[in-house]
Amino acid sequence: EVSEDYASLAWKHRIPLTVIPRKNKLDLGAIRTLRYLITTKNNPILHCWLNAANLYGFIASRRLKHVRLLLSIRSSRFLPTDEQTGSRLWRKISFYLHRLLRRWAARGGTHFMTNALAIRKELLEEGLSEPSIHIVPNGIDMKLPPEQPILKQDGSLTILGVFRLVQRKGGDILLRALAGLPKRCRLMLVGDGAEKEPLILLAKELKIMDRVEFCGEQSDVRPYLQKADIFCLPSLRGEGLSNALLEAM
């Protein structure tokens, strides 16, 4: 499964791409299609990206001895993404399901890739072997020239948050923190997602809507970094190594 943006990017750069539609959380037809592609193309490495892909790739590659499986783990405590969670019960089921999957996969020689030492430590505590865990830190384009900060004369303080507006990123935490700060403090939120409307309602409830600017999703955040005095990433509910944080630094 791939988003339209990633598909367009792959086709633009002439990267061979096969899109497998997924009708539901566990689409057996999609798993059969993936297994067929693995078998017919004789690919020696299957790199799966995040929770749903890890599950599909693990099932599809079972008993295929020529395939080396690489599963990506990107978030602390292995929280599924908010678009997948649904209810608190489903979050618990998903947590233990993926934990069981990793232990089962490890017995078959599967390798795991993560982007942070903290997640590597948690995988080791889970019982996975040290040689099977590989750290590949996130990277950013260092060739892009940094924007010069804009000096303010009015004494205002601009706080910037850049993240998807989903529950685990902690946008509500940032809004509640802003409500306790002096009125000269303002907040710019760059990003979009399912929690946008709830966050707007919360800002109104906290009576800080006049101090919050929802900037939407942006392809280039440098102009916003230029305006900011403070960058804040409130994802206390699980984060690996944030690209937005690296760019801000």
Side-chain angles (χ1 to χ4, degrees):
E1 186 178 16
V2 65
S3 72
E4 184 177 346
D5 289 343
Y6 283 120
S8 300
L9 191 63
W11 289 323
K12 177 182 177 181
H13 292 281
R14 299 181 180 179
I15 298 172
L17 176 71
T18 302
V19 178
I20 304 175
R22 186 170 63 129
K23 298 177 182 177
N24 47 54
K25 292 184 186 298
L26 190 60
D27 187 338
L28 297 180
I31 293 173
R32 284 194 296 269
T33 302
L34 178 58
R35 186 178 179 87
Y36 172 78
L37 289 173
I38 296 169
T39 305
T40 55
K41 293 184 180 296
N42 200 31
N43 291 323
I45 298 175
L46 180 60
H47 179 193
C48 302
W49 188 255
L50 303 185
N51 292 323
N54 288 348
L55 178 62
Y56 276 56
F58 173 73
I59 296 173
S61 63
R62 293 300 294 165
R63 302 186 185 282
L64 296 179
K65 295 182 178 180
H66 73 282
V67 176
R68 297 299 298 272
L69 187 61
L70 177 62
L71 304 183
S72 292
I73 313 293
R74 309 290 285 183
S75 295
S76 177
R77 299 300 172 192
F78 316 111
L79 292 172
T81 59
D82 298 82
E83 291 83 355
Q84 297 173 325
T85 54
S87 65
R88 184 181 296 272
L89 175 61
W90 169 246
R91 284 198 294 270
K92 285 187 176 182
I93 293 173
S94 182
F95 174 84
Y96 288 109
L97 175 63
H98 286 283
R99 194 169 188 176
L100 179 63
L101 181 149
R102 286 187 292 274
R103 289 182 177 178
W104 194 4
R107 296 174 183 173
T110 295
H111 284 245
F112 303 86
M113 186 178 77
T114 185
N115 60 349
L117 286 169
I119 302 176
R120 176 181 177 273
K121 180 181 177 182
E122 291 173 3
L123 287 171
L124 289 172
E125 290 173 352
E126 215 175 84
L128 303 186
S129 67
E130 188 170 354
S132 70
I133 305 170
H134 310 276
I135 298 178
V136 181
N138 288 354
I140 59 174
D141 190 351
M142 297 297 290
K143 295 178 181 178
L144 292 174
E147 297 285 351
Q148 293 301 313
I150 297 175
L151 298 178
K152 303 179 181 67
Q153 304 297 329
D154 58 0
S156 64
L157 188 72
T158 301
I159 303 167
L160 174 66
V162 180
F163 48 85
R164 288 184 300 116
L165 303 186
V166 293
Q167 189 178 27
R168 74 182 180 91
K169 292 293 185 177
D172 58 316
I173 297 172
L174 187 50
L175 290 179
R176 294 183 191 281
L178 179 68
L181 294 175
K183 290 188 177 181
R184 69 185 184 94
C185 299
R186 305 182 62 83
L187 173 64
M188 292 189 301
L189 278 181
V190 175
D192 204 354
E195 286 292 301
K196 182 177 180 178
E197 290 305 319
L199 289 175
I200 290 174
L201 291 175
L202 179 60
K204 291 178 179 178
E205 178 185 325
L206 295 171
K207 297 183 168 60
I208 57 171
M209 192 62 193
D210 60 330
R211 298 162 54 197
V212 181
E213 181 182 357
F214 288 87
C215 305
E217 187 173 340
Q218 303 294 330
S219 58
D220 185 1
V221 300
R222 287 177 298 156
Y224 297 91
L225 290 168
Q226 183 185 25
K227 298 175 185 178
D229 299 293
I230 297 173
F231 179 85
C232 182
L233 185 71
S235 50
L236 300 179
R237 302 184 180 107
E239 184 75 61
L241 182 64
S242 165
N243 279 355
L245 181 60
L246 294 177
E247 291 171 352
M249 292 171 65

